[in-house]
């Protein structure tokens, strides 16, 4: 988790490329978090960005 959005985005992109799966950057309380998309099935989170290792990052909003 990170309080810095730019740092969280860099980690999210790196994680997506390492795992070769889509990851979601979301906000939880006052921190930014990253999880693989498949792990967020029905979670009630505020998704901010989606990172696909094949097509890059894009805003969810």
């Amino acid at each position: 988790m990170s309080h810095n959005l730019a740092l969280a985005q860099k980690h999210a992109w790196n994680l997506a490329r390492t795992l070769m799966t889509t990851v979601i950057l979301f906000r939880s309380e006052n921190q930014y978090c990253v999880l693989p998309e498949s792990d967020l099935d029905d979670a009630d989170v505020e998704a901010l960005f989606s990172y696909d290792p094949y097509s890059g990052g894009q805003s969810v909003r």
Side-chain angles (χ1 to χ4, degrees), residues 32-50:
Y32 298 102
C33 308
V34 178
L35 281 176
E37 184 178 45
S38 60
D39 291 349
L40 286 175
D41 291 332
D42 292 327
D44 185 25
V45 296
E46 179 187 349
L48 302 174
F49 294 93
S50 172

Side-chain angles (χ1 to χ4, degrees), residues 1 5 9 11 14-16 20-21 25-26 54 58 61:
M1 290 189 257
L5 179 58
Q9 289 176 308
H11 285 294
N14 187 33
L15 183 62
M20 295 307 291
T21 188
L25 173 66
F26 63 96
Y54 303 103
Q58 59 185 344
R61 295 191 216 181

